[in-house]
């Protein structure tokens, strides 16, 4: 049943996929130079092209026999990915929208991310007016692990198409890709945007469309829910919410040491496992002295603080790298 | 640099709820570095009924350094020097935490009055008496409370001294010149 649908879908999708392939090659030639996956995709493309030459002639027999399963197993991935790419290029407006949303969602976290949102927005808007795909490409190229991101998208598409059970295995995989998702929420969102456009582009392709809807069903909760399911994104997105939650319950409004009001950074600051909160200035003063927590009198665990600092520092450097590259580009 | 805003807020907090605890903190001068704390003697102890005054000196590093506290009222207690009024209490030394306040420190001193630690004494004589002859310790402490920690009214003091055989005008001036201290006034009267 599944294999049959794959055969049919790929067979019907084949001509349009070839069309997309042509556009894609011209559009993506620069983009895929550095990507391993891109090279692989080129190979797939040529395979598909070769197959499609025979495909038109052998479409009938192909449908009956399903003899090319090994190749067709690759093809859905290729097709979806190709379509995703194609729509990614077409959806400049969506990109702008998404990235703006992303910047909004990022903005409460820090001034840096707030700064980040500005170049992000401006760059994607410029990409919307100029080259539709420039914003996306450069953004992906800015990220060092671009290939991983593509790989992840492809894997996720394939998983959605293949079997829903794989969804359960997805989180562990995606754990490796947290950084990618964290950095490139908008490319991830683009896929959902692309799915919408895919339906417009290929209204005749019922099978593929249903597949896409399937993958939409797999994606939609993912687009909205997966970021929250991922620890890093949870930290990033829902921290203000948690703060609000805690501030009503637990977080004091003022520093118990200096009695000054805690700002957002201070109320995010939890230096001791005992839960005693204080402002960063007082913490610094204490660390310059005996370095014991005022709440429990235990010495501040330097390692914990360091790890926190590393996490924060890592996030900062990532954002900085991204925003600085944005600045360079614009 | 002393965090005066914190001290100011602490004073406000103390002024807000001194009715329940009886603990008060008031500045001696305008600069807020020298304060006076007042604690009532804990009920059920030899110090019951007394009101004890504590001199507080705020160090430069407050609240990261403990405030310097010392009884100005004479107290008979193993952990308080009967001579100087120095207090042996860990939270005023190495166990100080910036999260503590003047109020919590005074509460701790009040708790120390009701729970002496004779094994870690400040005044060895008192501690020895506490360990070896508890009844004598209790009566001595009570006597000291009566003598030094109870604020009798001026008229009571005058009446007491007049009963001793001094002239009333003489007594009044002696009490006035000794700052209301009955014993000091008596000394003055005796010395002529």
């Amino acid at each position: 049943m599944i294999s049959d649908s794959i055969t049919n879908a790929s067979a019907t999708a084949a001509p349009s996929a070839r069309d997309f392939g042509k556009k894609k090659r011209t559009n993506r030639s620069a983009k895929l130079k550095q990507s391993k996956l891109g090279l692989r995709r080129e190979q797939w493309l040529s395979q598909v092209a070769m197959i499609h030459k025979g495909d038109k002639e052998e479409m009938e027999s192909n449908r009956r026999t399903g003899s090319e399963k090994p190749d067709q197993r690759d093809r859905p991935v290729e097709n979806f990915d190709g379509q995703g790419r194609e729509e990614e290029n077409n959806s400049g407006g969506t990109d702008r929208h998404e990235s703006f949303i992303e910047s909004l969602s990022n903005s409460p976290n820090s001034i840096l991310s707030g700064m980040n949102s500005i170049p992000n927005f401006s760059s994607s808007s410029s990409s919307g007016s100029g080259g539709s795909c420039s914003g996306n490409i450069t953004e992906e190229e800015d990220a060092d692990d671009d290939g991983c991101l593509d790989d992840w998208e492809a894997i996720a598409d394939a998983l959605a198409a293949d079997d829903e059970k794989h969804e359960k295995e997805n989180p562990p995989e995606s754990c490796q890709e947290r950084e990618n998702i964290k950095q490139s929420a908008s490319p991830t969102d683009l896929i959902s945007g692309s799915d919408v456009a895919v339906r417009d582009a290929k209204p005749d392709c019922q099978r593929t469309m249903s597949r896409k809807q399937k993958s939409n069903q797999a994606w939609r909760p993912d687009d909205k829910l997966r970021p929250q399911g991922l620890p890093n994104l949870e930290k990033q997105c829902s921290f203000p919410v948690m703060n609000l939650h805690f501030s009503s319950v637990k977080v004091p409004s003022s520093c118990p040491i200096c009695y000054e009001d805690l700002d957002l950074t201070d109320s995010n600051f939890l230096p001791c496992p005992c839960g005693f909160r204080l402002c960063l200035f007082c913490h610094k003063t204490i660390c310059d002295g005996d370095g014991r927590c005022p709440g429990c009198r235990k010495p501040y665990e330097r390692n914990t603080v360091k790890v926190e600092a590393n996490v924060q520092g890592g996030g900062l450097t990532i954002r900085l790298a991204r925003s600085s590259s944005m600045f360079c580009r614009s | 640099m002393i965090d005066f805003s914190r001290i100011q807020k602490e004073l406000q907090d103390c002024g807000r709820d001194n009715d329940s605890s009886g603990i008060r903190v008031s500045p001696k001068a305008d600069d807020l570095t020298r304060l006076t704390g007042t604690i009532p003697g804990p009920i059920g102890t030899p110090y019951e009924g007394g009101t004890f005054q504590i001199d507080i000196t705020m160090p430069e590093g407050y609240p990261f350094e403990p405030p310097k506290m010392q009884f100005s009222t004479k107290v008979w207690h193993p952990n308080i020097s009967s001579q100087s009024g120095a207090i042996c209490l860990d939270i005023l030394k190495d166990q100080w935490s910036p999260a503590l306040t003047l109020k919590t420190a005074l509460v701790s001193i009040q708790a120390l009055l009701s729970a002496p630690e004779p094994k870690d004494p400040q005044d060895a004589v008192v501690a020895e008496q506490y360990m070896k002859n508890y009844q004598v310790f209790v009566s001595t402490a009570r006597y000291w409370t009566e003598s030094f920690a109870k604020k009798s009214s001026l008229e009571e003091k005058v009446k007491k001294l007049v009963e001793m055989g001094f002239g009333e005008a003489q007594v009044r001036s002696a009490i006035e010149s000794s700052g209301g201290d009955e014993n000091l006034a008596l000394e003055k009267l005796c010395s002529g």
Side-chain angles (χ1 to χ4, degrees):
Chain A
M1 177 66 188
I2 292 169
S3 63
D4 188 34
S5 68
I6 287 170
T7 331
N8 289 337
S10 59
T12 49
S16 55
R18 194 169 58 175
D19 293 340
F20 281 123
K22 284 176 187 173
K23 285 185 198 169
K24 206 182 343 178
R25 258 177 232 167
T26 55
N27 271 343
R28 293 189 312 162
S29 58
K31 178 165 63 174
L32 295 177
K33 268 178 193 170
Q34 300 169 350
S35 163
K36 287 183 202 169
L37 205 92
L39 290 172
R40 211 190 309 165
R41 208 175 280 138
E42 291 288 349
Q43 288 175 355
W44 287 346
L45 271 178
S46 60
Q47 279 179 9
V48 169
M50 290 290 287
I51 290 156
H52 288 344
K53 279 179 187 172
D55 240 6
K56 279 186 179 177
E57 299 160 10
E58 297 177 4
M59 194 177 286
E60 293 302 316
S61 60
N62 194 4
R63 208 173 269 190
R64 283 173 208 146
T65 57
S67 60
E68 299 202 0
K69 271 181 186 175
D71 286 329
Q72 286 159 358
R73 202 166 285 170
D74 284 344
R75 241 184 279 157
V77 179
E78 161 57 22
N79 283 343
F80 295 138
D81 194 52
Q83 289 153 12
R85 286 277 161 202
E86 182 61 29
E87 301 310 326
E88 199 175 297
N89 296 342
N90 288 341
S91 59
T94 324
D95 174 28
R96 200 183 338 182
H97 181 62
E98 297 288 348
S99 60
F100 184 53
I101 287 172
E102 184 210 358
S103 68
L104 279 179
S105 67
N106 277 340
S107 58
N109 290 320
S110 71
I111 300 167
L112 276 169
S113 63
M115 285 175 62
N116 183 18
S117 69
I118 296 166
N120 195 6
F121 180 63
S122 62
S123 70
S124 51
S125 63
S126 68
S127 74
S129 61
S132 61
C133 60
S134 64
N136 298 327
I137 292 168
T138 40
E139 183 163 349
E140 283 173 20
E141 282 175 354
D142 285 339
D144 294 336
D145 31 25
D146 180 24
C148 293
L149 174 67
D150 285 351
D151 204 12
W152 184 75
E153 287 175 9
I155 287 171
D157 275 338
L159 283 172
D162 261 4
D163 196 350
E164 289 185 2
K165 286 177 186 175
H166 287 274
E167 281 293 313
K168 290 169 184 174
E169 299 170 13
N170 218 4
E173 283 181 25
S174 60
C175 284
Q176 302 164 1
E177 313 293 333
R178 272 176 210 156
E179 287 301 314
N180 296 338
I181 299 163
K182 190 178 164 189
Q183 285 184 51
S184 54
S186 58
T188 320
D189 291 337
L190 278 172
I191 291 165
S192 65
S194 72
D195 288 343
V196 179
V198 159
R199 271 181 238 141
D200 300 336
K202 300 167 69 179
D204 54 334
C205 188
Q206 292 297 327
R207 291 280 187 173
T208 318
M209 187 174 146
S210 69
R211 179 89 56 78
K212 273 297 182 183
Q213 280 177 336
K214 260 187 192 174
S215 68
N216 259 346
Q217 285 167 1
W219 267 111
R220 257 189 197 146
D222 285 359
D223 283 343
K224 288 171 183 175
L225 296 179
R226 179 177 288 176
Q228 294 174 356
L230 286 167
N232 272 355
L233 277 177
E234 186 179 352
K235 208 175 179 183
Q236 216 179 15
C237 292
S238 60
F239 231 119
V241 180
M242 286 176 71
N243 285 337
L244 286 176
H245 173 68
F246 275 120
S247 65
S248 61
V249 177
K250 197 175 166 185
V251 176
S253 59
S254 62
C255 172
I257 310 301
C258 62
Y259 288 24
E260 299 293 329
D261 287 343
L262 293 176
D263 64 17
L264 191 63
T265 317
D266 292 331
S267 38
N268 283 337
F269 183 52
L270 189 56
C272 184
C274 79
F276 186 84
R277 291 173 185 275
L278 71 173
C279 75
L280 289 164
F281 290 107
C282 291
H283 179 257
K284 167 87 168 61
T285 314
I286 288 168
C287 285
D288 288 345
D290 59 354
R292 289 186 306 167
C293 171
C296 61
R297 293 201 180 88
K298 285 177 189 160
Y300 277 127
E301 291 174 29
R302 306 278 177 178
N303 289 334
T304 318
V305 174
K306 265 187 186 172
V307 165
E308 251 190 41
N310 280 343
V311 168
Q312 288 174 350
L316 285 178
T317 46
I318 286 166
R319 283 183 212 145
L320 270 176
R322 197 175 161 197
S323 58
S324 61
S325 63
M326 295 285 185
F327 276 120
C328 288
R329 198 170 61 234
S330 61
Chain B
M1 181 62 195
I2 300 181
D3 188 352
F4 284 116
S5 68
R6 165 161 167 160
I7 299 172
Q8 196 87 53
K9 278 169 186 157
E10 281 194 42
L11 289 175
Q12 285 171 7
D13 289 349
C14 283
R16 203 174 298 143
D17 56 5
N18 64 0
D19 294 334
S20 55
S21 63
I23 291 175
R24 290 193 304 274
V25 184
S26 53
K28 266 187 178 175
D30 290 337
D31 64 352
L32 292 179
T33 55
R34 291 184 65 79
L35 310 168
T36 303
T38 310
I39 56 171
I43 295 163
T45 67
Y47 312 102
E48 182 179 347
T51 304
F52 299 88
Q53 295 222 323
I54 295 166
D55 278 341
I56 305 168
T57 307
M58 308 306 278
E60 279 289 301
Y62 185 83
F64 301 102
E65 290 173 29
K68 293 185 175 71
M69 291 191 176
Q70 199 168 354
F71 272 90
S72 57
T73 309
K74 286 170 85 71
V75 190
W76 192 254
H77 188 280
N79 303 110
I80 298 159
S81 168
S82 59
Q83 302 299 314
S84 66
I87 305 164
C88 178
L89 186 59
D90 57 353
I91 63 147
L92 295 178
K93 290 164 186 169
D94 58 323
Q95 288 301 302
W96 170 256
S97 157
L100 296 173
T101 62
L102 293 173
K103 164 113 183 185
T104 54
L106 290 173
V107 168
S108 300
I109 291 170
Q110 196 182 27
L112 180 70
L113 288 179
S114 55
E117 288 283 347
K119 286 176 182 173
D120 182 22
Q122 176 75 30
D123 194 310
V125 177
V126 181
E128 200 180 340
Q129 192 188 51
Y130 183 92
M131 304 253 266
K132 290 187 176 168
N133 204 339
Y134 182 73
Q135 286 309 315
V136 175
F137 162 79
V138 168
S139 58
T140 312
R142 187 169 287 138
Y143 175 74
W144 277 48
T145 305
E146 295 289 331
S147 304
F148 307 114
K150 283 204 172 167
K151 277 184 185 170
S152 49
S153 69
L154 181 65
E155 291 307 316
E156 276 179 34
K157 285 177 194 166
V158 171
K159 192 182 171 189
K160 213 188 242 176
L161 289 173
V162 167
E163 278 174 1
M164 288 179 185
F166 300 104
E168 192 177 331
Q170 218 180 345
V171 167
R172 285 192 187 276
S173 66
I175 289 173
E176 203 171 316
S177 62
S178 60
D181 192 323
E182 192 182 326
N183 293 294
L184 205 63
L186 181 61
E187 272 179 37
K188 279 190 176 179
L189 288 168
C190 289
S191 64

